[in-house]
């Protein structure tokens, strides 16, 4: 049995837009959800397939790999920022089967900084910079606690007791016999609030500063990866400095397409080269490689060059370079070429007219239709 494509699983066409795919997925997921089909193994299997299909087709990057290289192209993918599909999935199930779980509310610890000490910035780097690594100078802004108010945002650093919660950090609500407590929304649980705002920082508690640093980007970094630069984040009221996280946006390359540590490239091959099994030279990440085609190489055939891909960012080996053949044919032939081709064809013993036996049976078949 032939495996269904992701499009077939969700029963959408290959050029369906995101909304259509999402809608189709909802429909199928509802149909096959285990809660609705208890003990039905086939439904469970279909449900898994729908999830797999949607995870791929809802992610632009995965979808384009899938469209070009099929399921094979998705292997080793994941990681990076491609978990958008998962998030989406989660929220969708909450909607569909509401009542489960519910969001757990995060509570802020009482004695908090006015802003997080760790900070995140994004950085664009080229395809090659990501693969081979590079040192780069970056300039960024960070928060430094205001000296006048010691990072409190209150004039003279003087905080007064929060009027909302009377310094308790919690507010209480009564409902029937029960009393619920909640972190005070005014002071965020600290029990203190500025009586008057610090005029130096307008109550924010910090001043923005600029800094230039050089960071070493390791080879093998991929789109969406994060690098921690220790001690270069925001500075808090006690002088503690957080970390800076740099998230990389890797630009796409014109020819190479990266998939984890593997790299794909499409190589156009003229049909005569494929027929004779020519040896051609193809670009690699570091230069050129010699590719010996098979006699009768097929369209979309893959040739793998082990270890010619990207060095793993954590030092776990090196990926492969995969050349995918794209056969090209002449759009028109001159008389000389026509003659050469028919000579070639003759030498293989192939006649230009359809084979008699084939023709006869086709005619018989057609007669059958019009009986
Ligand atoms: Zn201040
Ligand atoms: Zn309060």
């Amino acid at each position: 049995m032939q495996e269904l494509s992701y499009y077939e699983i969700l029963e959408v066409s290959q050029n369906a837009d995101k909304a259509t795919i999402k809608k189709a997925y909802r429909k199928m997921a509802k149909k096959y959800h285990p809660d609705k089909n208890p003990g039905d193994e086939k439904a469970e299997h279909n449900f898994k397939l729908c999830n797999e299909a949607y995870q791929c087709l809802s992610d632009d990057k995965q979808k384009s790999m899938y469209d070009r290289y099929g399921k094979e192209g998705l292997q080793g993918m994941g990681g990076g920022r491609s978990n958008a599909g998962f998030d989406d999935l989660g929220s969708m199930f909450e909607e569909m089967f509401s009542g489960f779980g519910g969001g757990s509310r995060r509570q802020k610890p009482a004695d908090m900084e006015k802003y997080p000490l760790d900070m995140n910035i994004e950085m664009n780097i080229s395809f090659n910079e990501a693969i081979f690594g590079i040192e780069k100078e970056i300039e960024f802004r960070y928060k430094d606690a205001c000296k006048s108010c010691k990072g409190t945002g209150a004039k003279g650093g003087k905080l007064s007791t929060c009027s909302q919660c009377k310094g308790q950090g919690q507010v209480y609500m009564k409902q029937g016999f029960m009393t619920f407590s909640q972190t005070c929304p005014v002071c965020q649980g600290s029990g203190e609030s500025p009586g008057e705002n610090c005029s130096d920082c307008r109550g924010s508690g910090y001043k923005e500063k600029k800094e230039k640093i050089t960071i070493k980007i390791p080879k093998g970094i991929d789109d969406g990866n994060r690098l921690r630069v220790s001690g270069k984040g925001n500075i808090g009221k006690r002088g503690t400095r957080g970390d800076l996280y740099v998230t990389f946006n890797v630009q796409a390359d014109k020819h190479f397409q990266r998939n984890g540590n593997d790299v794909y490239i499409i190589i156009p091959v003229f049909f005569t080269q494929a027929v004779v099994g020519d040896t051609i030279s193809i670009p690699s990440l570091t230069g050129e490689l010699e590719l010996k085609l098979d006699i009768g190489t097929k369209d979309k055939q893959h040739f793998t060059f082990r270890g010619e891909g990207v060095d793993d960012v954590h030092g776990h080996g090196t990926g492969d370079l995969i050349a995918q053949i794209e056969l090209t044919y002449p759009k028109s032939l001159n008389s000389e070429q026509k003659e050469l081709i028919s000579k070639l064809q003759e030498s293989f013993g192939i006649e230009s007219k359809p084979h008699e036996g084939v023709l006869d049976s086709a005619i018989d078949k057609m007669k059958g239709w019009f009986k």
Side-chain angles (χ1 to χ4, degrees), residues 223-353:
D223 192 46
N225 282 167
R226 238 164 49 135
L227 184 77
R228 188 173 73 122
V229 188
S230 163
K232 291 290 173 191
N234 296 321
I235 301 175
K237 45 185 166 191
R238 287 172 210 82
T240 324
R241 189 154 187 195
D243 297 330
L244 170 71
Y245 288 87
V246 185
T247 303
F248 296 97
N249 299 316
V250 179
Q251 284 151 19
D253 186 76
K254 250 191 249 166
H255 305 290
F256 295 108
Q257 188 165 3
R258 190 166 162 187
N259 179 15
N261 292 330
D262 293 337
V263 173
Y264 286 76
I265 186 166
I266 289 179
I267 305 292
V269 167
F270 197 58
F271 80 108
T272 51
Q273 296 179 293
V275 170
V276 298
D278 213 351
T279 300
I280 56 176
S281 94
I282 64 162
S284 76
L285 293 177
T286 51
E288 280 186 355
L289 285 169
E290 206 171 73
L291 169 55
K292 170 89 184 75
L293 297 167
D294 296 340
I295 292 178
T297 292
K298 293 181 185 67
D299 189 39
K300 298 205 160 41
Q301 192 170 327
H302 283 182
F303 291 88
T304 302
F305 295 86
R306 298 257 169 253
E308 291 289 341
V310 180
D311 286 339
D312 186 83
V313 71
H314 302 297
H316 304 312
T318 305
D320 301 330
L321 174 72
I322 296 129
Q324 177 170 305
I325 303 304
E326 187 180 76
L327 277 193
T328 62
Y329 295 91
K331 292 233 161 59
S332 63
L333 298 169
N334 63 30
S335 55
E336 192 196 349
Q337 290 161 336
K338 262 185 207 161
E339 203 176 311
L340 285 170
I341 298 253
S342 67
K343 267 189 192 160
L344 178 68
Q345 200 168 290
E346 263 170 46
S347 83
F348 280 108
I350 296 169
E351 289 172 43
S352 288
K353 278 178 275 176

Side-chain angles (χ1 to χ4, degrees), residues 146 148-149 153 198 200-201 205:
C146 170
S148 317
C149 64
C198 164
D200 233 2
C201 62

Side-chain angles (χ1 to χ4, degrees), residues 111-125:
D111 191 22
M112 257 188 75
E113 299 283 354
K114 275 184 88 76
Y115 44 88
L117 298 188
D118 288 341
M119 57 178 278
N120 188 47
I121 58 169
E122 295 205 2
M123 184 175 184
N124 297 322
I125 54 173

Side-chain angles (χ1 to χ4, degrees), residues 1-152:
M1 201 175 74
Q2 216 203 329
E3 205 178 339
L4 292 176
S5 79
Y6 285 158
Y7 295 99
E8 287 167 326
I9 289 168
L10 296 183
E11 295 178 6
V12 292
S13 78
Q14 195 158 340
N15 31 30
D17 60 17
K18 273 196 160 175
T20 312
I21 291 172
K22 191 169 181 173
K23 211 172 137 193
Y25 166 70
R26 279 168 169 246
K27 200 181 111 194
M28 302 306 274
K30 255 184 194 170
K31 186 171 159 193
Y32 294 123
H33 195 271
D35 287 356
K36 294 202 173 175
N37 305 275
D40 184 345
E41 278 179 19
K42 195 163 178 235
E44 197 187 319
H45 177 70
N46 285 336
F47 183 66
K48 277 183 192 153
L49 285 180
C50 292
N51 285 342
E52 189 184 316
Y54 182 67
Q55 261 163 39
C56 167
L57 299 184
S58 60
D59 181 296
D60 292 339
K61 220 172 140 188
Q62 287 194 38
K63 184 175 183 295
S64 88
M65 282 305 284
Y66 180 75
D67 288 346
R68 289 169 83 170
Y69 307 109
K71 251 189 193 177
E72 215 181 310
L74 297 172
Q75 277 162 16
M77 226 164 148
R81 61 186 56 178
S82 57
N83 52 8
F86 286 102
D87 292 347
D88 219 18
L89 220 65
S91 67
M92 232 145 78
F93 278 116
E94 250 167 55
E95 266 176 64
M96 277 163 62
F97 309 102
S98 55
F100 291 115
S104 57
R105 232 166 247 132
R106 225 186 276 164
Q107 283 199 338
K108 292 184 175 178
D111 191 22
M112 257 188 75
E113 299 283 354
K114 275 184 88 76
Y115 44 88
L117 298 188
D118 288 341
M119 57 178 278
N120 188 47
I121 58 169
E122 295 205 2
M123 184 175 184
N124 297 322
I125 54 173
S126 76
F127 184 80
N128 278 340
E129 286 169 345
I131 287 175
F132 300 111
I134 193 170
E135 276 191 13
K136 281 215 157 190
E137 190 179 65
I138 49 169
E139 192 178 32
F140 62 98
R141 288 165 175 279
Y142 66 95
K143 298 181 169 93
D144 190 3
C146 170
K147 300 283 180 286
S148 317
C149 64
K150 300 184 185 75
T152 58

